[in-house]
Every structure is written in C-alpha cells, then in structure tokens.
C-alpha cells in the first residue's frame, strides 16, 4: 500500500484552517509566520514559495524577508531580533541553506524557543531528547503523523533510521524512541547496513542518495518511509529508496514525490499554529 502523504497533508491543512480561523476570532489577529530567506539558492526559492502558498490556503499571514546573498551577520541578526519581539509573528523560519559566510548557529540562537517554528533550537532539541513537550523538527514530525494516520504500531517495533542529520535522522530516532520503538540509527560508518535495514519493522531513510535502499535491504512486510529528495540518472525527482523494487516487499511505503515532502510543510504550519495558540494561554 502506498502512503498518500499529499492527501494526508491536505487533510491536515483543512484541520489547520479551522484552528487558524478560531485563533483569529479569539485574538483579533491572524496567525503569523515570518520566513527569512537569505541568498539565491534556487531550491530554497521553490520551498519558500510552497510554504507561502500553504500559509495562504490555511489563513496564516506569511511575512517574507528575502535578503541578498551578501547580507552581513549583523544585518541578519538585527532582522531576527526584530521578528523575535514582533507580536504579529508567532513563528520564525530561517530557510536553509544559508550563504557560507553566515554563522547559522548564532542566527538560530536569536530565534526565541517559543517562535522556533522549525524546532531547531537547542532548547527544543533538548526537550525532545528528554521526551518533554516542545516544538519538533517538521520532517520527522510529519513522518510520525503519517505513521499515526496509517495506524502503524510503533511501540515495541524495531525501527531503523538511516541518516543522523540534526534536522532529520537524529530527531526522527528520538521521536521513535519516545514512541517506545527499539531504535537503531545507521550512518556512513555503519557496518552491516544491509542486515540491519533488513531487520527493520519500520525503516526510515534520510541519506540523500538516489535509490540507495534496494529490495534486498528490506524485510517482507516492513513499513518504509523515504525522506530523500534526490535526482535520478534522468534528472527526475526520486527518493533514497528504489521504489520500483521495494514496493513489492513493503506493507506500506511512501512515494517520492507525494510522500514525506508535503507533510513537512503541513507540520511547519501546525507548529506555527501551536505557537500562536500558546500565546492565548
Ligand atoms: P545530510 O545532512 O546530508 O545527512 C545524510 C545522512 O546520511 C548522514 O547522517 C550520513 O552519515 C548518512 N549517510 C551518507 N551516506 C551513507 C551511507 N553510505 N550509509 C549510511 N548512511 C549514510 O542529509 P539530510 O539533511 O538529513 O537529508 C537527507 C535526505 O532527505 C536528502 O535527500 C534531503 O533532500 C531529504 N530531505 C527531505 C525533506 C522533506 O521534506 N522530504 C526534508 C529534509 C531533507 P554521516 O553522518 O556519517 O555523514
């Protein structure tokens, strides 16, 4: 069975629309997401455009700040400091990648925990590690939402996460652990990767290599979640999993595109709404 991330994300946006309208009625103002995009990365421009479109659909005001590639650290920090105290802004998103001369960590430190729509701040990551309430990185959160909506039992299952990046693999492993899975995290130094993957009940792949996971690395009946967004030999968008061969073995599998990608944007909106609703409490 193929997981319909696009459809689930649409469903979530409908739910968020209701919550955004309720917030507006209670507070007299719109939920606001500030998007800071620095530089000319073409992929970032597409992602930002998708996020703005999704905000519009749900009724969230997006405040876009597109800065040139030669923006100084001081200018970027000044903007973030202004957004941090702007009452019309409930969530701040700093689009990655940033130009190399900018100190990413210092900029993220300027985003207050309560406005950290991406869940990248040290305090939110710490809360996740301690299994406490906080804002969670959108992509892994989207994966958990897909598992939930497809009624996948996580507790007691062997979940294998391939990739340990700060934005996907690491928080993904923590979320699965917090949901009582037995978690194995694999990375570029892992030995016996094939055997470990083939023992997974739930396999989440975030490596960034086209069709890296082949059918012989997947257990019959496994749930396979492909986070990858890569290009194949013909320049077509594909995932880290060889969908054509693996779909015959998996009980559930996400396609690329139309799997995890749309969920990332939906979770960004959800995190922003959570942040706005917290201001009412
Ligand atoms: P990343 O920062 O480059 O991390 C890749 C991870 O894969 C690293 O932990 C690396 O191990 C591991 N790896 C590399 N080669 C490996 C190998 N041969 N065997 C096992 N592990 C290996 O990438 P990322 O930011 O996590 O993104 C991963 C993929 O997800 C990309 O395709 C990206 O475009 C996609 N993505 C999609 C979404 C979405 O919304 N769908 C969001 C974010 C990312 P080391 O740590 O040892 O180097």
């Amino acid at each position: 069975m193929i997981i319909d991330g696009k459809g689930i994300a649409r469903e979530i946006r409908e739910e968020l629309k209701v919550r955004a309208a309720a917030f507006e009625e209670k507070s007299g103002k719109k939920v606001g997401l500030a998007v800071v995009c620095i530089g000319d990365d073409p992929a970032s421009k597409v992602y930002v455009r998708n996020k703005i479109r999704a905000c519009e659909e749900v009724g969230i005001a997006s405040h876009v700040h597109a800065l040139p590639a030669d923006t100084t650290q001081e200018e970027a920090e000044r903007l973030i400091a202004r957004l941090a105290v702007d009452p019309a802004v409930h969530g701040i998103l700093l689009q990655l990648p940033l130009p190399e001369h900018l100190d990413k960590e210092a900029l993220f430190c300027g985003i207050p925990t309560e406005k950290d729509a991406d869940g990248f701040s040290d305090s939110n990551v710490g809360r996740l590690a301690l299994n406490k309430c906080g804002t969670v990185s959108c992509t892994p959160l989207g994966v958990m939402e897909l598992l939930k909506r497809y009624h996948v039992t996580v507790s007691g299952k062997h979940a294998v996460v391939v990739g340990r990046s700060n934005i996907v693999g690491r928080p993904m492993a923590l979320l699965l652990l917090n949901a009582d899975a037995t978690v194995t995290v694999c990375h570029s130094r892992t030995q016996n990767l094939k055997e470990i993957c083939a023992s997974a009940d739930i396999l989440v792949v975030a490596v960034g290599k086209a069709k890296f996971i082949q059918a012989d690395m997947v257990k019959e009946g496994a749930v396979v979640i492909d986070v990858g967004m890569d290009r194949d030999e013909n320049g077509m968008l594909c995932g880290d999993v060889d969908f054509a061969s693996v779909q015959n073995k998996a009980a559930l599998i996400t396609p690329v595109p139309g799997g995890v990608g749309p969920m990332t944007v939906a979770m960004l909106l959800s995190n922003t709404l959570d942040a706005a609703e917290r201001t009412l409490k």
Side-chain angles (χ1 to χ4, degrees), residues 33-188:
L33 173 68
V35 181
V36 179
C37 187
I38 309 176
D40 313 308
D41 183 66
S44 291
K45 292 210 160 112
V46 176
Y47 296 145
V48 167
R49 209 179 310 133
N50 288 343
K51 287 167 187 173
I52 294 168
R53 200 179 306 136
C55 278
E56 278 166 8
E57 185 189 334
V58 165
I60 293 177
S62 50
H63 309 265
V64 182
H65 300 268
L67 305 183
D70 61 356
T71 299
T72 64
Q73 182 74 21
E74 201 194 343
E75 286 166 336
E77 283 181 13
R78 216 179 306 129
L79 170 63
I80 288 173
R82 188 155 57 76
L83 298 172
V85 295
D86 184 343
V89 170
H90 302 99
I92 302 173
L93 163 81
L94 180 57
Q95 183 66 43
L96 297 177
L98 293 171
E100 270 182 17
H101 68 279
L102 293 176
D103 178 351
K104 185 169 80 176
E105 295 304 322
L107 292 177
F108 274 110
C109 277
I111 301 177
T113 308
E114 63 277 11
K115 290 193 181 187
D116 169 29
D118 257 333
F120 290 167
S121 68
D122 290 0
S123 53
N124 274 321
V125 175
R127 296 188 76 80
L128 176 64
L130 296 171
N131 196 9
K132 288 181 173 176
C133 256
T135 305
V136 178
S137 179
C138 304
T139 302
L141 188 62
V143 171
M144 294 307 285
E145 195 61 33
L146 283 179
L147 295 176
K148 190 167 113 195
R149 293 194 185 222
Y150 274 83
H151 309 291
V152 174
T153 305
V154 175
S155 175
K157 294 294 160 71
H158 182 208
V160 172
V161 180
V162 191
R164 57 175 168 179
S165 70
N166 288 346
I167 60 168
V168 189
R170 224 170 265 264
M172 187 74 249
L174 288 168
L175 281 171
L176 289 162
L177 182 63
N178 293 349
D180 297 324
T182 302
V183 182
T184 306
V185 183
C186 301
H187 46 78
S188 64

Side-chain angles (χ1 to χ4, degrees), residues 47 138-139 162-170 186-190 193 205-209 212 226-230 238-240 259-265:
Y47 296 145
C138 304
T139 302
V162 191
R164 57 175 168 179
S165 70
N166 288 346
I167 60 168
V168 189
R170 224 170 265 264
C186 301
H187 46 78
S188 64
R189 309 290 171 89
T190 298
L193 181 71
V205 192
V207 170
K209 291 187 172 156
F212 179 73
D226 188 354
V227 178
M229 288 207 303
D230 315 305
C238 72
D240 288 347
V260 174
M263 293 299 290
T264 299
V265 181

Side-chain angles (χ1 to χ4, degrees), residues 30 61 116 146 150 204 234 271:
K30 267 189 177 304
D116 169 29
L146 283 179
Y150 274 83
V204 183
N234 303 314
N271 281 349

